[in-house]
Amino acid sequence: QVQLQESGGGSVQAGGSLRLTCEASGYSFNSRKFCVGWWRQAPEKEREGVAVIEVNGKPYYPQTMRDRFTISQDNGKDALYLQIDNVKPEDSATYYCAVSNLAYCGGNYFTQNFFRYWGQGIQVTVSS
């Protein structure tokens, strides 16, 4: 059974930075067996993809996420990270870590249907 746990969320002032961490049990990010990534969902909005890392280590960001978001892995700690810089109020959302059932899940494959395991989510609130 794969369980994902996000941490590092909370309240932050606009213009600041935040780093979210995802740790897993039942799955090793270091194995690079599946594409992994981050999603977010704001109140009354659909869940949207933020970033993924494919099994070759290559990150993928949707066009709207390419300037302030950085996804990375820490092989030593076996964790997945999401760095958000110059945060804006519109970044306020619940952020989810997820593991897909594909090796490559960028581009047209970056949809919820291809993600098998999800964390419970962590709240990020950005104040102006």
Side-chain angles (χ1 to χ4, degrees):
Q1 181 73 12
V2 175
Q3 293 186 320
L4 305 174
Q5 181 67 58
E6 303 92 345
S7 62
S11 298
V12 60
Q13 292 270 354
S17 296
L18 197 67
R19 189 176 80 161
L20 305 180
T21 300
C22 179
E23 295 176 285
S25 61
Y27 179 76
S28 169
F29 290 113
N30 288 348
S31 71
R32 296 189 182 273
K33 185 175 181 181
F34 296 110
C35 184
V36 295
W38 292 91
W39 292 72
R40 72 180 184 182
Q41 187 167 20
E44 300 182 0
K45 291 191 176 181
E46 292 187 358
R47 191 172 295 187
E48 61 178 344
V50 178
V52 294
I53 288 185
E54 299 179 316
V55 296
N56 60 2
K58 182 179 179 181
Y60 171 83
Y61 306 90
Q63 182 67 42
T64 55
M65 306 291 182
R66 289 180 182 173
D67 56 347
R68 300 181 294 109
F69 296 87
T70 305
I71 188 171
S72 63
Q73 285 188 230
D74 183 335
N75 291 336
K77 197 175 179 182
D78 197 15
L80 183 68
Y81 302 102
L82 181 70
Q83 176 79 21
I84 312 173
D85 296 314
N86 188 24
V87 295
K88 300 179 179 181
E90 54 263 41
D91 293 325
S92 296
T94 300
Y95 284 73
Y96 299 89
C97 170
V99 176
S100 80
N101 53 14
L102 301 175
Y104 300 93
C105 65
N108 291 336
Y109 295 98
F110 196 4
T111 69
Q112 294 185 65
N113 292 343
F114 291 119
F115 283 79
R116 179 188 301 174
Y117 301 109
W118 296 83
Q120 290 188 333
I122 192 162
Q123 181 67 38
V124 171
T125 302
V126 181
S127 57
S128 58

